[in-house]
Amino acid sequence: MATNGAVQLAVVEGVLERITYANEESGYTVARVDTGRGSGDLLTVVGSLLGAQPGESLRMEGRWGSHPQYGKQFTVENYRTVLPATIQGIRRYLGSGLIKGIGPKIADRIVEHFGTDTLDVIEEAPKRLIEVPGLGPKRTKLIGAAWEEQKAIKEVMVFLQGVGVSTSIAVRIYKKYADASISVVKNQPYRLAADVWGIGFLTADRIAQAVGIPHDSPERVKAGLQYALSQSTDQGHCFLPEERLIADGVKLLQVDTGLVIECLAELAADPEGVVREAVPDPQGGPPLTAVYLVPFHRAELSLVGQVRRLLNAEDDRMPGFQDVEWDKAFGWLAGRTGAKLAPEQRDAVTLALTRRVAVLTGGPGCGKSFTVRSIVELARAKKAKVVLAAPTGRAAKRLSELTGAEASTVHRLLELKPGGDAAYDRERPLDADLVVVDEASMLDLLLANKLVKAVAPGAHLLLVGDVDQLPSVGAGEVLRDLLAEGGPVPAVRLTRIFRQAQQSGVVTNAHRINTGLPPLTDGLPDFFLFPEEDTEEAGRLAVDVAARRIPARFGLDPRRDIQVLAPMHRGPAGAGNLNGLLQQAITPARPDLPEKRFGGRVFRVGDKVTQIRNNYEKGANGVFNGTVGVVTALDVDEQRLTVRTEEDEEVGYEFAELDELAHAYAVTIHRSQGSEYPAVVIPVTTGAWMMLQRNLLYTAVTRAKKLVVLVGSRKALGQAVRTVSAGRRYTAVAPRLSGRIPVGNIT
């Protein structure tokens, strides 16, 4: 059996029939292979089959074993593809969707025409494909190009196979570097983490180790420190205290503290590395040394400078409001809207129309929307140019309905370009006298900076939002920083709940939760609790409530009107697992409809999906993290699916890009910010114990217009209401605005 101490690997050849499970992160795959023995039985193979596609003939080396549930199986150590030799094999191979432009029907036609010479023809004389009935010059050319690209990608995949890089990432590496892919991976693997979306430091590090880069290489340590800072921005921080960054670096890299300190000093000396600066401790302790990635430091300085520039502008693009008779104006307004403003609403209207920058905040039912409508009505009455925006498509739509004027997303308003640059900025400001941005709690540092930069001197900027909600998904907490005590930005907080809103269980309970009181769950027509202590059962019950019970009782559409909001992504009641269950219930598989398996997910026409990264190349002005839509078409031949977004834009995705999409029947509460749904279902379970905080539950409840159903444990609900989030984000916008950070203390 053994030769020189090594175990002899068994060899199996067969055609890959289907992939039943694939983990995109680890590459672990479970697949069924036809070994051609004629019995019709398929062999189960497990292991890393990165890049292998159904229809391909594989030569696999590995070990035989047995699974207690699934029986005999083969564990693959390594494999290579071999081109099929039989007509049936060639037909299956070409019809698998491997080559763009060839689906099952066209594969049949090609194989019928060329027989066993088919693959030689495509390889050596692709122009001959025009001989096949129904194949024109355009498609023939496409097939030839797709074949060449597939061969090149395969070469990269074979090289990356040993280091566990997933198929989709191998495709991205190839698309980024083309023929230089293998050279970059071998010689500059840490470039991948910066250049290729989906590759973080950990994957790049694994590749670097495989190609022989030393564990204590300064290049590795510097890349690791930048990765640690990048991870912290994903958690909402604009910087990390130096001591914490060094400790994180030592833990991540498993190298000496001295080496980390040396490499951090080298990064700080590099203009494109990191920035070190003394800032006040957000917790009130002695000053600390903040370490920033360069773009976040620039954005903080820029945002603060732009806000001050607007506040101090000598021009006023709405001068007519400086000496207006407000009692008359409010009387005219009441005639227009049919309702009088409360005193604090009047203050907000006056502030927005007389001051260059203002903030309006408050919870649900306190009249924020009516106040915004009043501000817009008065501004329009004076012929002011008003521009309305919000961070998400849904929020923009709602703002438009409220004011009767066009509203767009902030991204569309600024016309963000590939690379993130905006068409509108300080040199080319927006042609607006008043810019109103709703759901401003969602504005992260980078987007807020781009927005404020584009407001013309003398124009007015009004930011509207609920500061008690979760902060933005991206780094920073801009709305809270602008509202900080001692800052220069004037603000009004609406606190009075109007009588009509008091009749809503959703509004009443949102305010109860926000003040630390448990929600009322008995006897209300629009707020329910389904008690279930077991986390797994709670997940199943949440699916039943969303897919069956609410539609049956309230006549709501489970795809359009009902949103499941989970505290976490993982776990039995997490968004990931619930998406699978909800898809089975709402968009089940049908034999007459095509579907595409990608990684561990299956995409079907009718699926509710969300974009999970900013992609400036897609759509008219990019498609952004959090955009939701429905799959409207899926073309197996063209390897493409189409999504209609909530902004009514048709956006196409190549199959290789499907890791940019996730199902959205259930989303995490963080991802639901800025959106509003007729009904929300919220699993609240002890399985999400670490995430259960008051502002998380408050944000979830305030997403509902008409109906909230909580599913889960009373104990977990109590924990969420009692726990105030202690974790403030590391950001220095507030002390910069108030002048507590002197200019010039960058080290």
Side-chain angles (χ1 to χ4, degrees):
M1 271 305 279
T3 311
N4 299 331
V7 177
Q8 188 73 39
L9 294 177
V11 175
V12 170
E13 292 194 0
V15 176
L16 180 60
E17 282 294 319
R18 63 177 177 274
I19 292 170
T20 53
Y21 170 79
N23 184 317
E24 276 294 304
E25 289 170 21
S26 69
Y28 180 80
T29 306
V30 180
R32 303 279 279 161
V33 168
D34 183 354
T35 55
R37 291 197 178 135
S39 62
D41 290 343
L42 299 179
L43 170 67
T44 298
V45 298
V46 299
S48 182
L49 284 169
L50 293 168
Q53 301 279 352
E56 288 188 311
S57 296
L58 306 180
R59 187 176 194 279
M60 299 164 286
E61 293 183 330
R63 294 177 173 80
W64 289 101
S66 185
H67 187 280
Q69 190 177 345
Y70 303 111
K72 186 179 179 184
Q73 61 182 34
F74 187 73
T75 300
V76 180
E77 298 280 325
N78 53 70
Y79 81 93
R80 63 188 177 84
T81 56
V82 288
L83 292 175
T86 66
I87 283 188
Q88 186 55 34
I90 293 169
R91 183 181 279 118
R92 177 84 179 82
Y93 175 68
L94 281 184
S96 66
L98 181 73
I99 307 301
K100 193 174 176 184
I102 303 182
K105 286 178 183 168
I106 288 176
D108 284 347
R109 274 193 240 151
I110 295 173
V111 175
E112 203 170 299
H113 190 79
F114 294 113
T116 52
D117 295 334
T118 296
L119 299 182
D120 291 335
V121 169
I122 298 175
E123 171 75 33
E124 290 160 20
K127 287 181 180 172
R128 281 193 62 199
L129 289 170
I130 203 160
E131 297 170 19
V132 177
L135 280 193
K138 192 176 173 188
R139 178 159 289 199
T140 300
K141 197 174 174 186
L142 270 176
I143 291 170
W147 178 267
E148 287 303 315
E149 184 179 68
Q150 185 60 35
K151 269 191 352 193
I153 290 172
K154 195 61 101 184
E155 190 185 342
V156 175
M157 281 181 182
V158 168
F159 177 74
L160 293 174
Q161 192 181 338
V163 289
V165 175
S166 72
T167 312
S168 58
I169 287 176
V171 170
R172 272 218 201 91
I173 290 172
Y174 177 77
K175 288 201 168 162
K176 178 73 183 173
Y177 304 117
D179 294 342
S181 297
I182 291 175
S183 168
V184 170
V185 169
K186 273 184 182 170
N187 302 313
Q188 300 168 284
Y190 292 107
R191 259 183 77 185
L192 302 175
D195 291 353
V196 183
W197 181 77
I199 295 189
F201 170 78
L202 298 179
T203 303
D205 199 33
R206 203 164 65 228
I207 295 169
Q209 284 178 352
V211 298
I213 288 178
H215 189 69
D216 59 356
S217 151
E219 184 193 358
R220 175 177 185 263
V221 176
K222 286 191 266 190
L225 287 168
Q226 288 181 306
Y227 167 73
L229 281 174
S230 175
Q231 286 290 94
S232 74
T233 64
D234 288 346
Q235 289 152 17
H237 301 300
C238 299
F239 67 81
L240 278 184
E242 186 174 42
E243 286 179 10
R244 179 170 156 186
L245 175 60
I246 291 167
D248 286 356
V250 169
K251 188 176 170 188
L252 169 73
L253 298 160
Q254 300 290 296
V255 294
D256 291 342
T257 305
L259 178 60
V260 172
I261 291 169
E262 275 175 41
C263 289
L264 181 55
E266 284 180 33
L267 275 174
D270 178 353
E272 296 303 315
V274 299
V275 177
R276 287 198 296 201
E277 184 181 12
V279 302
D281 180 0
Q283 319 299 336
L288 47 83
T289 301
V291 185
Y292 288 84
L293 288 172
V294 172
F296 291 89
H297 187 258
R298 284 182 185 148
E300 271 201 3
L301 294 180
S302 171
L303 174 64
V304 169
Q306 303 302 333
V307 168
R308 286 211 181 111
R309 173 180 68 92
L310 292 179
L311 283 167
N312 300 328
E314 289 182 11
D315 289 346
D316 186 351
R317 290 181 60 150
M318 294 200 294
F321 288 103
Q322 296 303 333
D323 52 6
V324 80
E325 290 185 44
W326 286 105
D327 283 344
K328 265 189 184 176
F330 289 133
W332 173 86
L333 193 61
R336 289 271 298 178
T337 61
K340 284 186 175 178
L341 291 165
E344 56 187 12
Q345 290 178 304
R346 286 181 165 216
D347 293 344
V349 171
T350 310
L351 204 62
L353 296 172
T354 60
R355 303 292 290 272
R356 312 294 192 280
V357 183
V359 174
L360 170 61
T361 189
C366 293
K368 281 199 309 293
S369 297
F370 186 66
T371 307
V372 169
R373 184 183 157 196
S374 302
I375 291 164
V376 171
E377 288 275 2
L378 281 171
R380 279 214 205 107
K382 289 274 190 185
K383 303 287 188 283
K385 285 182 181 169
V386 181
V387 165
L388 305 169
T392 67
R394 273 178 185 257
K397 207 173 263 186
R398 198 168 66 240
L399 184 59
S400 182
E401 287 162 4
L402 166 75
T403 56
E406 190 185 336
S408 70
T409 62
V410 176
H411 295 96
R412 279 181 183 276
L413 174 68
L414 301 178
E415 291 180 17
L416 288 179
K417 299 273 193 292
D421 293 327
Y424 292 94
D425 55 19
R426 192 166 173 176
E427 278 65 51
R428 186 196 176 198
L430 295 162
D431 182 18
D433 305 318
L434 171 64
V435 178
V436 179
V437 183
D438 200 7
E439 295 287 357
S441 63
M442 288 187 70
L443 287 176
D444 61 39
L445 172 68
L446 299 181
L447 187 58
N449 175 43
K450 289 184 171 81
L451 170 71
V452 177
K453 228 189 256 188
V455 179
H460 293 220
L461 173 64
L462 173 66
L463 298 174
V464 184
D466 185 346
V467 77
D468 293 323
Q469 284 181 30
L470 289 167
S472 57
V473 174
E477 40 188 10
V478 173
L479 190 65
R480 185 168 287 158
D481 284 338
L482 293 177
L483 286 164
E485 213 172 312
V489 178
V492 169
R493 181 170 192 140
L494 303 179
T495 55
R496 179 184 148 198
I497 307 172
F498 286 89
R499 193 181 314 143
Q500 187 182 354
Q502 285 171 4
Q503 293 161 11
S504 158
V506 176
V507 170
T508 302
N509 278 332
H511 286 277
R512 284 180 69 86
I513 290 164
N514 204 29
T515 53
L517 295 169
L520 305 169
T521 56
D522 291 325
L524 294 171
D526 60 352
F527 202 104
F528 302 88
L529 169 66
F530 284 69
E532 177 51 68
E533 292 301 318
D534 181 79
T535 299
E536 208 161 315
E537 282 302 319
R540 279 199 282 267
L541 181 54
V543 169
D544 190 45
V545 166
R548 194 175 62 80
R549 298 192 195 192
I550 292 177
R553 178 162 172 190
F554 294 96
L556 296 175
D557 181 289
R559 195 182 282 109
R560 188 185 62 241
D561 301 329
I562 303 164
Q563 184 63 54
V564 176
L565 301 179
M568 295 171 62
H569 182 75
R570 294 184 174 164
N577 186 52
L578 296 183
N579 262 317
L581 297 173
L582 285 160
Q583 185 192 36
Q584 284 171 29
I586 297 169
T587 317
R590 279 176 38 191
D592 57 323
L593 283 183
E595 57 181 44
K596 171 62 181 170
R597 181 177 290 278
F598 187 91
R601 303 193 290 275
V602 178
F603 290 94
R604 300 181 183 125
V605 171
D607 270 339
K608 185 176 181 179
V609 292
T610 181
Q611 174 82 8
I612 57 173
R613 69 174 285 228
N614 288 345
N615 187 332
Y616 298 94
E617 311 282 348
K618 287 206 165 297
N621 290 109
V623 180
F624 299 95
N625 189 355
T627 300
V628 174
V630 172
V631 178
T632 53
L634 196 155
D635 189 323
V636 177
D637 287 5
E638 295 300 322
Q639 296 183 40
R640 188 177 175 81
L641 65 72
T642 306
V643 174
R644 177 171 283 281
T645 71
E646 58 199 355
E647 295 168 59
D648 291 329
E649 184 178 14
E650 296 273 347
V651 179
Y653 289 81
E654 303 288 325
F655 282 175
E657 299 174 313
L658 291 182
D659 52 355
E660 294 189 21
L661 287 178
H663 290 101
Y665 300 100
V667 297
T668 60
I669 295 166
H670 280 87
R671 290 191 72 82
S672 73
Q673 288 168 260
S675 293
E676 196 178 62
Y677 316 94
V680 301
V681 178
I682 310 165
V684 185
T685 67
T686 50
W689 199 255
M690 296 297 291
M691 296 294 293
L692 295 176
Q693 294 171 347
R694 188 182 297 169
N695 62 349
L696 189 85
L697 184 60
Y698 173 74
T699 300
V701 168
T702 55
R703 299 306 88 216
K705 279 196 280 197
K706 298 175 184 169
L707 177 68
V708 171
V709 182
L710 304 176
V711 179
S713 147
R714 290 185 192 277
K715 183 181 173 189
L717 183 58
Q719 159 84 357
V721 171
R722 285 191 304 274
T723 308
V724 178
S725 170
R728 287 301 299 272
R729 295 179 164 190
Y730 288 116
T731 154
V733 169
R736 288 186 203 283
L737 270 172
S738 61
R740 287 188 292 135
I741 298 181
V743 176
N745 59 343
I746 300 169
T747 59

